[in-house]
Structures are given as structure tokens and as C-alpha cells.
């Protein structure tokens, strides 16, 4: 399927010289591809910043605390005296002055080879003034004349993981660049630098701007990525329209029984959203609708009533959640209502095995299951529906177009409803979903009380624990969220474990723990114990972030709140304030609080409106808060940063629309180049929609 010219891009990086099986593992972690990272993944791992080594002053001209490259003659070595903790020192000079190069824990024979007395070496690093004397502690680079010729004037600095150094990444990237060819131009208005040339320039910058998201090279790549995304969506849409929908006309009988079984009445926005959905279902066009609703706004009921409508028409519905916890929780909410109405529901996740699984599959195929709730397991091969009419996808931003398509392909002209609890600014809706209709649940269910949100410095954690103790004694229930730590995959787990033990020490058996590495059954047990009130305090990693619903919980403590993005904090806070009790959210932060983090916490204190906070989040990111990690990036994008490249989106969209209008099967030379683009950015699921060409 994939054109041969792309094979080098998709080759495993273990084929590069110098990357053995030992480095493959950390590279896999770095590139987010355990198993087989490919050259492509490596090439799309762009520098986080650069170091400019072009300044070549004499010692007299050096500006302290800046990075410089000095030409020095080595005078003498003063090794660390035995038993001392002083650094190993090397004295050197140029014609304008002297400098001390200091090394901790240096090996003498190695040092003598690195800096031979009497010879000239080029030394790059940061010079400081120490007792009036120039000093450089641990130079970044020490090279001879030959090495100098190869020293990059501007050096990329990559995000790393444990077990990898900058040099590893740099060398691997260089090899990867040499192994991969330039590709035919696919942009309609070529920017003057090719795809491969742009990658090379970002990785091997000649100017600081070359490796910046603001520079023309990076912009080209970002545009490519956005174009690939928009093109895939446009193709998908063209295909969807081609394949006319089948009207599902409900009788209203099931829905009515469900509504009667509800312990509350629907909000105005819920009713409105349902009307729009029912109209879509009844029409002969296929539905592609986004249901946006803040946490706790009651999307699940809307989904259930939408499902009921197609079941009334004698067809089936599927509800897909991103995690098992959520799938089970949906089942728990839906089951009693479904039972009251006579709607037949089943659960299908990776955990249903053997006989039970076979029964569910048989039920789906025979049409005796009306609504199936599940995870990714739903669109695996072997899952066959009798007549799937509606696919509801919860928390869609966690799924790609790929999954949406896979689920929708389980039936004929399936109507798709996508639900998201992270309200998405309009620009982003276009990015992820293309031209989708959207319904918004802006109204909160009646009776919700505002959440008292407070920021507390982490050195006052003892007070927090003490007041938590009082609340637990009153029978209240609380979450304690432990931070996500990016640098090391297990440390977030350790932090949660440590906090759990700590709190156990105070509150004993009333404390539970749930985290992402637990087995499914353990997770369920922990959640169930908390939901039943057997445990009152649930220590959790961000697995509780989306959707988890325990209305009795009225306190949430979020540790290291400064590490979370605004939308994520809002999501987490939404775990409370779901019942009748007044709720509290405590944001524990480590001092000193950065400016952006401060504004984020301020916004959260000021508002509970997810739509407002989503815009605010985007604005704050736009102000350059990069957190230093990928966390703040936009899911699904490797190169494009919507804070910087958002304005390219409209153009990419227009170009994609024009392409599909002129050549909806991407035939011809330009079409062939565009197919390469779709493969490169792994939107090749869209290629499958095309006629062979
Ligand atoms: P989300 O939109 O976050 O998925 P849920 O569907 O989980 O929200 O609903 C949150 C809680 O609000 C649930 O306990 C649900 O039963 C309840 N709920 C939903 N709609 C209403 C309503 N109209 N009035 C009162 N409570 C409601
Ligand atoms: Mg939900």
C-alpha cells in the first residue's frame, strides 16, 4: 500500500548504525512508540531549544554567563588531591587572559588526553567570573581543530528521557536525515523549502530561527501536518456524504419510559441537543455531530436517549469510552434506566473473555443486544452488528479519526455522535473534527452548588490533612490527586503510592488507591469501594480525570496543581460538585509559583465555566507557556503548535477543500504527492477511502 519512496522513513531506527537494542528502549519511550520506533518518529522529534555556539570572543571580550567558544592553549593540570572534593582544574590562556576549566569527578588520564598541555583546543560552554578569574565549569564541548570543523554553530537541544543524552539523539537524527530522501512537493504554493530540507534545517539549524516554531522551516512542517489532517477529514467527509444515511425514525416509546425513570428532569440544553440529534437521525443524511458539555452537564443521558431513538427504529447503538473505568461507569448509570425501559444492554471491553465474550458477540450479531457499551474492543475484528445505526464516541479527543472510522464501518451509513467534556474552542473543533455540527450543553443540571476553590502552598499540607481528617469524620468523601510526572514513567506511580501510604498512616483503611497501572479488576474494586463509601478518601493518579462519577464525593485535593493545564484542572475539579453537598477543591502548589501557573489557578478560582476556561487555556498557552514537556502540546499533533501555527489552519482547510473538490480520489501527480503526505503523517486511513491510483 505504502509507496516505496517512503520505506526509509518507516524503517526501524535500530537499523541506524550506533543504535543497538539497548538504546532502542529509551528511544521508544522518547518517541512515544514502545517497540519499534521508526526514522519518521525520530525526525519528528524536534528540538525544544537551541544553544548558539557562534560567539568566539577572546577572554578579554567574554560576557560572563553567556555561551562562548574559546580558542585556548592548555598550560597545566591540577588534579584533585586525594580525599578532596575540589574540582580537577586545568589552566589555559589565550593572548588576552587566563581561564580555569573545572571538572568534578574527572579521571586524570582521560583529562590529559582531552586537554594536552601545550596544545590548542576549542572549548565551548558558559564562562563565569569566580574571584575575579574566568572560569568554566564542565565545558559542554572540548574539541581539536578537526572537531571544531564539525562543531555545529547552533546546537539543537532535544527533550530527553532517562538513558539518553543529547549526543545520542543528535547522532541518530543526523543518520536518519542521511538515510531519508527528499519527497515530491505536495503543497500547492510551495514555500521554497522542501519537506526533507525543512526537517534538516530544523535539526541542523544555521540560524536560531531555523529551529524555532516561528521559523519558515518549522512552519512548513506544521503546515504539512495541518494539511494532512484537514485533507483526511475532507476525504472522510466526502466519503460520508457519498454514502447517504439511513433514516432512523423513533416512536418515542422507549425514550419516554427512560425519561419517566429519571430522578430528575432534563435541562433545557439537554432537550435542545436531543431535538437536534433526533432530527439528524431521522434525516436521510448521515449524522456527524459533536456534543460538547462541561463536566457534569449530563451528556450520558443524552447519549442514552439518542440510542433509545435508534432502538425504537429497530436498530442498534454503540457507546465507546476511552477507558474501562468509564465504560463500566456508563453501564452502571445506564443499566437501571435501560432495564426500566426494556432496552437490552451489554458491555464489551478487553476483559470480557471466553464464553461471556462469545455470548455478547452472538447477541450483537443476532440483534438481541440493543446497546453495547465498551472500549476499543468494540471495533475489533470479530465484532459484528446485526444493524448498527448509531455510534456514540465519548471523550473523542482521545480517539483519532481512525477509531471513529473503524467503529462507523461496523454498520451501514452509521450516524456518529462525538461527545467531549473538554469544551473545544472553534478553531480546534475544525482541527480535530472538520466541519461537524455541534450541540452544546451550557446549562448545568439544577441544584448544583458552586465549588469553593482554593490555592494552598504545599508546605501547608499538614493543615490540609488535618482538615481532611475532620471532613472524613463527618462522613464526607474526597479525592486526592497525585501529579503526573513526565520525566520518568514510574515516578507518578511512586508519588501516588507514597502519598497513599502516608495518608493510610493517618486515616487507616478508609483510604483507597487507584492508578493506571492497576489491573482492570483492581481498579474496579477500588472505584467500587469508594463509590459505596467503604473507602472515603481515594488517592488517584489522573485516571479519574475524565468522567468518573461519584456524586457523594465533595472534596478534591490536587497535588502539584502547577503542573496541570487549565483544562485538566477543570476536568479534575469536575469530579466534585456533582451531588447536593457543597464542595471544595484544594489546589496544592509548590512555591514559587510561575506567572502562567498563577494565572491558571486564578482563572480556575474565578470560573467554573468550561467554555470560558477552554478559551483561557488557549490564551495562556499562547503566551508561551510550554512547561518544557509535551503535556502542553495538542493531542494528535507532533509538529504543529496551535498557539503558534493556528493561523495556518484556515489556509490548510481551504487547500484541503479545494483538493477534494478537484480530485476527490487523489489521482494524477499532485494527488500522488498528497498520498505521500497522508502516509507521512499517518492519516493513511484516509488513503483507504480512495480508489486505487
Ligand atoms: P458528563 O456530561 O460529565 O458526562 P454525566 O452524564 O456523567 O455528566 O452527568 C453527571 C451527573 O448529573 C450524573 O449523576 C447524572 O445522573 C446527573 N444528571 C444528568 N442530567 C441531569 C439533570 N438534568 N438534572 C440533574 N442531574 C442530572
Ligand atoms: Mg461523561
Amino acid at each position: 500500500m505504502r509507496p516505496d519512496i517512503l520505506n526509509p522513513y518507516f524503517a526501524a531506527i535500530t537499523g541506524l548504525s550506533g543504535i543497538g537494542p539497548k538504546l532502542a528502549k529509551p528511544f521508544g519511550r522518547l518517541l512515544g512508540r514502545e517497540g519499534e520506533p521508526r526514522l519518521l518518529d525520530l525526525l519528528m522529534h524536534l528540538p525544544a531549544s537551541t544553544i548558539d555556539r557562534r560567539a568566539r570572543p577572546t577572554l578579554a571580550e567574554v560576557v560572563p554567563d553567556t555561551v562562548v567558544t574559546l580558542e585556548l592553549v592548555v598550560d597545566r593540570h591540577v588534579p584533585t588531591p586525594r580525599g578532596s572534593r575540589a574540582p580537577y582544574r586545568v589552566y589555559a590562556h589565550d593572548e588576552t587572559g587566563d581561564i580555569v576549566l573545572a571538572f568534578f569527578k574527572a579521571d586524570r588520564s582521560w583529562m590529559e588526553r582531552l586537554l594536552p598541555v601545550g596544545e590548542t583546543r576549542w572549548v565551548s560552554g558558559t564562562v563565569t567570573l569566580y574571584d575575579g578569574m574566568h572560569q568554566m565549569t564542565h565545558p559542554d564541548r572540548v574539541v581539536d581543530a578537526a572537531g571544531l570543523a564539525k562543531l555545529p554553530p547552533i546546537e539543537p537541544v532535544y527533550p530527553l528521557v532517562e538513558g539518553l543524552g543529547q549526543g545520542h539523539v543528535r547522532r541518530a537524527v543526523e543518520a536518519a536525515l542521511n538515510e531519508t530522501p527528499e519527497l515530491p512537493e505536495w503543497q500547492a504554493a510551495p514555500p521554497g523549502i522542501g519537506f526533507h530540507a525543512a526537517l534538516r534545517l530544523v535539526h541542523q539549524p544555521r540560524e536560531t530561527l531555523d529551529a524555532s516554531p516561528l521559523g519558515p522551516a518549522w512552519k512548513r512542517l506544521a503546515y504539512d501536518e495541518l494539511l494532512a489532517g484537514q485533507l483526511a477529514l475532507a476525504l472522510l467527509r466526502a466519503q460520508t456524504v457519498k454514502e447517504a444515511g439511513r433514516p432512523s425514525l423513533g416512536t418515542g416509546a422507549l425514550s419516554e419510559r427512560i425519561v419517566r425513570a429519571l430522578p430528575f428532569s432534563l435541562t433545557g440544553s439537554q432537550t435542545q441537543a436531543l431535538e437536534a440529534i433526533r432530527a439528524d437521525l431521522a434525516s436521510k443524511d448521515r449524522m456527524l455531530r459533536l456534543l460538547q458539555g462541561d463536566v457534569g452537564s449530563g451528556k450520558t443521558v443524552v447519549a442514552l436517549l439518542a440510542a433509545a431513538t435508534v432502538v425504537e427504529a429497530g436498530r442498534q447503538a454503540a457507546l465507546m469510552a476511552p477507558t474501562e473505568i468509564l465504560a463500566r461507569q456508563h453501564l452502571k448509570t445506564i443499566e437501571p434506566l435501560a432495564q426500566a425501559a426494556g432496552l437490552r444492554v451489554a458491555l464489551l471491553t478487553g476483559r470480557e473473555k471466553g464464553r461471556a465474550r462469545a455470548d455478547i458477540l452472538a447477541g450483537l450479531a443476532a440483534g438481541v443486544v440493543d446497546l453495547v457499551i465498551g472500549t476499543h474492543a468494540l471495533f475489533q475484528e470479530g465484532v459484528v452488528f446485526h444493524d448498527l445505526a448509531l455510534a456514540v464516541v465519548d471523550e473523542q479527543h482521545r480517539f483519532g479519526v481512525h477509531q471513529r472510522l473503524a467503529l462507523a464501518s461496523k454498520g451501514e451509513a452509521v450516524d456518529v455522535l462525538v461527545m467531549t467534556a473538554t469544551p473545544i474552542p472553534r478553531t480546534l473543533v475544525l482541527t480535530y473534527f472538520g466541519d461537524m455540527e455541534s450541540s452544546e450543553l451550557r446549562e448545568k443540571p439544577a441544584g448544583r452548588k458552586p465549588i469553593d476553590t482554593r490555592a494552598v502552598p504545599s508546605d501547608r499540607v499538614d493543615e490540609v490533612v488535618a482538615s481532611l481528617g475532620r471532613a472524613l469524620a463527618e462522613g464526607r468523601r474526597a479525592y486526592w490527586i497525585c501529579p503526573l510526572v513526565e520525566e520518568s514513567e514510574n515516578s507518578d506511580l511512586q508519588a501516588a503510592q507514597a502519598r497513599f501510604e502516608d495518608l493510610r498512616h493517618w486515616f487507616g483503611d478508609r483510604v483507597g488507591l487507584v492508578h493506571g497501572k492497576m489491573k482492570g479488576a483492581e481498579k474496579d474494586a477500588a472505584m467500587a469501594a469508594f463509590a459505596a463509601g467503604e473507602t472515603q478518601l481515594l488517592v488517584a493518579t489522573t485516571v479519574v480525570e475524565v468522567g468518573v462519577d461519584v456524586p457523594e464525593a465533595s472534596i478534591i485535593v490536587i497535588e502539584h496543581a502547577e503542573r496541570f493545564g487549565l483544562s485538566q484542572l477543570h476536568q479534575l475539579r469536575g469530579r466534585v460538585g456533582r451531588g447536593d453537598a457543597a464542595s471544595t477543591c484544594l489546589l496544592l502548589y509548590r512555591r514559587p509559583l510561575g506567572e502562567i501557573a498563577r494565572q491558571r489557578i486564578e482563572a480556575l478560582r474565578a470560573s467554573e465555566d468550561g467554555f470560558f476556561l477552554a478559551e483561557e487555556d488557549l490564551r495562556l498557552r499562547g503566551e508561551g507557556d510550554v512547561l518544557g514537556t509535551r503535556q502542553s502540546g495538542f493531542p494528535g499533533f507532533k509538529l504543529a503548535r496551535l498557539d503558534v501555527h493556528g493561523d495556518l489552519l484556515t489556509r490548510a482547510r481551504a487547500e484541503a477543500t479545494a483538493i477534494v473538490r478537484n480530485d476527490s480520489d487523489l489521482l494524477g501527480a499532485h494527488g500522488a504527492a498528497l498520498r505521500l503526505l497522508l502516509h507521512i503523517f499517518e492519516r493513511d486511513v484516509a488513503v483507504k477511502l480512495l480508489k486505487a491510483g
Side-chain angles (χ1 to χ4, degrees), residues 23-36:
L23 283 178
K25 233 182 157 183
F27 267 113
R29 262 187 292 129
L30 179 73
L31 303 174
R33 256 189 91 88
E34 320 286 321
E36 281 280 270

Side-chain angles (χ1 to χ4, degrees), residues 264-267 270 293-301 329-330 333 394-395 421 441 445-446 448 547 549 551 575 578:
F264 46 75
S265 50
L266 297 178
T267 63
Q270 281 171 322
D294 212 345
V295 279
S297 60
K299 293 183 293 295
T300 315
V301 179
Q329 190 180 283
H330 280 317
T333 317
D394 197 10
E395 309 298 347
L441 302 184
R448 293 283 154 80
D549 186 21
R575 295 314 105 216
R578 303 179 145 238

Side-chain angles (χ1 to χ4, degrees), residues 565-620:
L566 184 49
S567 294
Q568 206 180 7
L569 286 172
H570 177 60
Q571 282 286 323
L572 286 167
R573 179 174 60 177
R575 295 314 105 216
V576 299
R578 303 179 145 238
D580 317 320
S583 295
T584 307
C585 170
L586 295 176
L587 304 168
L588 280 178
Y589 64 89
R590 166 126 348 142
R591 294 195 243 229
L593 197 54
E595 179 52 25
I596 300 284
R598 192 191 61 74
Q599 287 192 39
R600 229 189 260 134
I601 288 178
E602 223 20 74
L604 206 65
R605 281 171 49 87
S607 172
E608 278 183 51
D609 178 351
F611 290 89
F612 166 77
L613 290 172
E615 299 286 351
E616 200 57 15
D617 195 19
L618 199 65
R619 188 182 69 76
L620 288 176

Side-chain angles (χ1 to χ4, degrees), residues 193-310:
I193 179 167
F195 172 75
H196 189 267
L199 280 174
R200 185 177 285 281
L201 200 57
V202 173
H203 286 292
Q204 300 178 341
R206 289 192 292 262
E207 295 296 334
T208 315
L209 192 62
D210 292 341
S212 155
L214 298 169
W218 196 316
K219 273 195 180 159
R220 188 225 142 96
L221 299 171
Y223 185 79
D224 287 338
E225 185 170 38
L226 293 171
L227 180 61
Q230 290 300 307
L231 185 56
L233 287 170
L235 290 168
L236 186 63
R237 191 172 176 75
Q239 180 70 17
T240 309
V241 172
K242 253 187 257 172
E243 197 187 322
R246 287 172 50 197
S248 295
L249 273 171
T251 58
L254 273 175
S255 317
E256 204 171 296
R257 268 177 269 159
I258 293 173
V259 169
R260 248 187 283 130
L262 287 175
F264 46 75
S265 50
L266 297 178
T267 63
S269 344
Q270 281 171 322
T271 307
Q272 259 172 23
L274 267 169
E275 276 167 11
I277 292 167
R278 288 198 179 117
D280 286 349
L281 292 172
S283 103
K284 63 179 183 358
D285 295 329
R286 260 179 96 174
M287 173 169 85
L288 201 53
R289 178 173 290 274
L290 188 62
L291 178 62
Q292 300 198 63
D294 212 345
V295 279
S297 60
K299 293 183 293 295
T300 315
V301 179
V302 175
L304 173 61
L305 289 168
T309 303
V310 302

